């Protein structure tokens, strides 16, 4: 055998060894059936099992099955996945998840992801994936239209709200030409309600040394425009450089919507970049009663909304929109020699690679496109309105149970606390949250308002209906009675 013959033999041998990576149609069918069956079993028991499982020990079972040279049986792997992953911690897709900002997990979205992964379309550059890029841009134009942005707006489907906020902050930095020397004098305006991902974004974007000006909030935890106006004037007088306003359309803590219109008028007059974090609240634009309070969103320079929150999608999709799409491109455009043919054939800077830090990326379009077109917008609107009503219902009922309540819910977050007959209220409510989390039937969380400990109910799971809210009230009454009797807090 000559050298080439030897090489060919080796190639054939390797091809055979790699053969398991290419299952044939019969093998694919069997794999698919097993995984789909497993998913069905998960969904079947979802409403019957606890929303939270405190025992995390089974997660360690994963360590007993490290990657090795040989194969493992699919049944064994699926069983391990159930024990170690599905049955530990928080079940984000459970109806009883009424903490943080609940997750969704529309089934049609999972199927969209399946299509994206099987076809593995390249969604980074228009030349390679004209349909894929067009689909994502169409979804972004739909969101821009909801927000009232003009035709020149552009955006990017990100992995979530945090990255979307980061992209917006970087765009704002570039648009205002902030250089190193400017940073210690550049002022960022935000309230105590601002999501921590914004602080993180500033630091990652090299803006950690910017001046933060915490603007006062009203009783509903909304930014006070007069306070913002004063702060800007004071800072200018002190020789600082007012630069960026970070406002919230639905704060995570209490669902507060800042007075967007009035803030927008100030930022326009003062020449500041206006960013609205609507990761949680943005899609409530679909609901007539909230839409009005979101008026002014169209005045922002950039905004963020999270389909994996208020459109009930599985985790892994956020969106950033920039009113002047050119600014987004200017901050993220790149050139690489090895990409020259692809770039030459994608003339307009409207590919995700030109508008985000990513190049090769998850094709996120189908996970949103499929459910949105398959069902239409109407059921999404109805589901959001149902959550608004459920929250109002809970807020009323929890008040009549004797809880002290926080601000009237603007969206789908209700805050409340029990004032015990004796002892420290904060300690009591902390113990209350612990006992509910241990119980697991529903999963609630907590926050602090004005330094005081409050429980928090956030209703956003598409599987969360009236029964779960009634169950939450039942669990609350039961645990309060127990703690009052035992005094164990
Ligand atoms: C959840 C949230 C974020 C962060 O989004 P992720 O998708 O979790 O990264 C940012 N801002 C607000 C208001 C949020 O509710």
């Amino acid at each position: 055998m000559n050298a080439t013959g030897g090489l060919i033999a080796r190639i054939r041998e390797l091809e055979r060894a790699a053969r398991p990576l290419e299952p044939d149609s019969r093998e694919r069918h069997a794999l698919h059936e097993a995984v789909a069956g497993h998913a069905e079993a998960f969904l079947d028991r979802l409403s019957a099992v606890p929303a939270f499982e405190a025992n995390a020990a089974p997660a360690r079972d994963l360590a007993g099955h490290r990657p090795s040279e040989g194969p493992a049986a699919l049944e064994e792997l699926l069983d391990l996945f159930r024990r170690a992953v599905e049955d530990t911690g928080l079940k984000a897709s459970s109806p009883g998840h009424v903490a943080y900002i609940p997750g969704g997990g529309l089934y049609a979205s999972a199927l969209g992801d399946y299509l994206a992964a099987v076809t593995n379309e390249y969604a980074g550059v228009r030349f390679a994936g004209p349909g894929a890029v067009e689909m994502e841009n169409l979804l972004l134009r739909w969101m821009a239209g909801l927000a009232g942005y003009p035709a020149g707006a552009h955006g990017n489907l990100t992995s979530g709200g945090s990255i979307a906020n980061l992209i917006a902050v970087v765009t704002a930095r570039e648009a205002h030409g902030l250089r190193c020397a400017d940073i210690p004098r550049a002022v960022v305006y935000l309230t105590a309600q601002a999501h921590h991902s914004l602080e993180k974004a500033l630091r990652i974007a090299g803006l950690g040394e910017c001046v933060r000006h915490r603007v006062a909030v009203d009783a509903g935890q909304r930014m006070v425009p007069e306070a913002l106006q004063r702060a800007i004037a004071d800072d200018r007088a002190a020789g600082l450089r007012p630069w960026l306003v970070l406002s919230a359309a639905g704060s995570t803590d209490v669902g507060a919507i800042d007075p967007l219109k009035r803030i927008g008028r100030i930022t326009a007059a003062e020449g500041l970049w206006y960013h609205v974090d609507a990761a949680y609240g943005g899609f409530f634009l679909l609901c007539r009663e909230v839409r009005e309070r979101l008026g002014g969103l169209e005045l922002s320079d950039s905004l963020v909304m999270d389909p994996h929150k208020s459109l009930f999608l599985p985790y892994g999709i956020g969106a950033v929109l920039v009113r002047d799409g050119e600014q987004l491109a200017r901050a993220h455009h790149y050139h690489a020699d090895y990409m020259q043919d692809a770039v030459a054939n994608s003339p307009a800077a409207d590919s995700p690679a030109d508008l985000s830090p990513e190049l090769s990326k998850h094709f996120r379009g189908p996970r949103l496109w499929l459910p949105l077109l398959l069902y239409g917008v109407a059921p999404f609107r109805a589901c959001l309105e149902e959550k608004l009503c459920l929250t109002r219902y809970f807020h009323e009922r929890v008040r009549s149970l004797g809880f002290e309540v926080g601000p009237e819910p603007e969206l789908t977050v209700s805050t409340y606390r029990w004032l015990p007959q004796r002892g420290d209220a904060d300690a009591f409510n902390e113990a209350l949250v612990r006992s509910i989390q241990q119980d697991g039937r529903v999963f609630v969380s907590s926050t602090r308002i004005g330094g005081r400990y409050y429980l928090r109910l956030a209703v956003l799971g598409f599987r969360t209906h009236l029964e779960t809210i009634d169950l939450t009230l039942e669990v609350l009454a039961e645990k309060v009675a127990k703690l009052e009797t035992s005094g164990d807090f």
Side-chain angles (χ1 to χ4, degrees), residues 101 158-165 193-198 248-253 277-281 304 306 308-309 315-318:
I101 299 288
T158 63
S159 57
S162 299
I163 300 299
N165 273 329
Q193 287 284 304
H195 193 269
H196 68 270
S197 62
L198 286 162
S251 68
T252 312
D253 247 8
D277 181 359
Y280 158 45
V304 160
D306 251 2
H308 69 196
K309 285 179 178 163
Y315 292 125
I317 184 165

Side-chain angles (χ1 to χ4, degrees), residues 139-189:
L139 293 165
L140 289 159
R141 279 197 300 277
W142 173 69
M143 291 180 215
L146 276 181
Y149 269 8
H154 217 319
N156 184 247
L157 295 182
T158 63
S159 57
S162 299
I163 300 299
N165 273 329
L166 175 63
I167 291 176
V169 164
V170 168
T171 305
R173 182 193 69 199
E174 295 300 297
H176 278 228
L178 283 196
R179 315 298 302 244
C180 285
D182 304 320
I183 292 171
R185 286 173 48 244
V187 190
V188 180
Y189 300 86

Side-chain angles (χ1 to χ4, degrees), residues 102-338:
L106 293 181
Y107 191 70
S109 191
L111 297 178
D113 262 346
Y114 176 74
L115 287 177
V118 169
T119 61
N120 199 25
E121 284 295 321
Y122 192 86
V125 179
R126 180 176 282 276
F127 169 68
V133 170
E134 193 52 42
M135 177 186 287
E136 297 200 344
N137 287 350
L138 173 126
L139 293 165
L140 289 159
R141 279 197 300 277
W142 173 69
M143 291 180 215
L146 276 181
Y149 269 8
H154 217 319
N156 184 247
L157 295 182
T158 63
S159 57
S162 299
I163 300 299
N165 273 329
L166 175 63
I167 291 176
V169 164
V170 168
T171 305
R173 182 193 69 199
E174 295 300 297
H176 278 228
L178 283 196
R179 315 298 302 244
C180 285
D182 304 320
I183 292 171
R185 286 173 48 244
V187 190
V188 180
Y189 300 86
L190 70 176
T191 75
Q193 287 284 304
H195 193 269
H196 68 270
S197 62
L198 286 162
E199 197 54 60
K200 194 165 151 185
L202 286 167
R203 180 154 48 85
I204 294 170
L207 299 159
E209 290 169 15
C210 280
V211 180
R212 315 287 194 281
H213 204 136
R214 297 265 168 193
V215 182
V217 292
D218 66 13
Q221 305 295 309
R222 294 169 291 241
M223 186 183 284
V224 177
E226 293 77 9
L228 172 65
Q229 183 79 69
R230 252 193 327 274
I232 295 170
D234 290 351
D235 290 340
R236 283 204 206 284
L240 298 175
R241 175 175 171 178
W243 162 53
L244 171 66
V245 174
L246 301 172
S247 102
S251 68
T252 312
D253 247 8
V254 302
I257 302 174
D258 288 336
L260 304 176
K261 214 170 260 164
R262 298 181 57 201
I263 296 171
R265 287 198 202 107
I266 296 172
T267 52
E270 298 283 349
L272 272 57
W273 186 277
Y274 182 22
H275 175 68
V276 179
D277 181 359
Y280 158 45
F283 287 105
F284 284 92
L285 282 164
L286 293 170
C287 305
R288 212 159 41 123
E289 62 169 296
V290 184
R291 197 175 166 79
E292 216 157 278
R293 273 179 283 135
L294 289 170
L297 201 53
E298 73 284 357
L299 302 175
S300 63
D301 294 298
S302 56
L303 69 91
V304 160
M305 48 214 281
D306 251 2
H308 69 196
K309 285 179 178 163
S310 326
L311 286 183
F312 321 113
L313 264 53
Y315 292 125
I317 184 165
V320 59
L321 295 167
V322 177
R323 187 143 57 96
D324 175 1
E326 287 288 316
Q327 303 280 18
L328 179 61
R330 224 167 282 146
H332 293 91
H333 185 72
Y334 71 98
H335 177 75
D337 289 338
Y338 82 95

